[in-house]
């Protein structure tokens, strides 16, 4: 899966889960400051990403995530590391 596809999935998921405007979601958007997500929202996002990827996401992988692009990179890394 390409990073652009991952980004689109994450963006669509955020719109659906958190009722965000798709126009407000950019790769540079900060999850907490710009999109007003909280820690509960972050857990919801991880749970849904685990379901959609079929892979377990380790909590430490998401501790350093700050922006939408960070989420895309983390999911890309997860998908590619487990295929090898």
């Amino acid at each position: 899966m390409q990073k652009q596809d991952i980004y689109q999935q994450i963006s669509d998921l955020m719109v659906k889960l958190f009722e965000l405007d798709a126009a407000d979601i950019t790769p540079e958007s900060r999850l907490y400051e710009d999109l007003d997500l909280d820690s509960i929202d972050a857990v919801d996002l991880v749970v849904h990403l685990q379901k959609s990827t079929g892979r377990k996401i380790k909590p430490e992988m998401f501790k350093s995530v700050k922006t939408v692009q960070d989420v895309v990179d983390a999911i890309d890394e997860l998908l590619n590391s487990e295929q090898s």
Side-chain angles (χ1 to χ4, degrees), residues 1-76:
M1 184 181 293
Q2 299 293 319
K3 280 192 177 189
Q4 184 58 39
D5 298 328
I6 296 170
Y7 171 78
Q8 192 58 55
Q9 270 192 337
I10 291 169
S11 179
D12 292 346
L13 187 59
M14 293 175 111
V15 168
K16 188 173 103 179
L17 285 178
F18 311 122
E19 299 176 0
L20 296 171
D21 186 337
D24 293 336
I25 303 170
T26 68
E28 298 79 28
S29 297
R30 294 172 299 171
L31 301 176
Y32 304 108
E33 295 89 344
D34 299 333
L35 301 178
D36 286 331
L37 301 186
D38 60 26
S39 58
I40 303 294
D41 294 332
V43 170
D44 274 350
L45 182 60
V46 168
V47 167
H48 281 83
L49 289 171
Q50 285 184 154
K51 286 179 187 171
S52 67
T53 62
R55 299 219 167 56
K56 179 133 179 64
I57 298 172
K58 296 179 181 104
E60 56 270 12
M61 179 178 261
F62 264 71
K63 281 187 178 156
S64 62
V65 167
K66 302 277 186 258
T67 66
V68 173
Q69 186 63 50
D70 291 341
V71 177
V72 171
D73 293 342
I75 297 301
D76 181 59

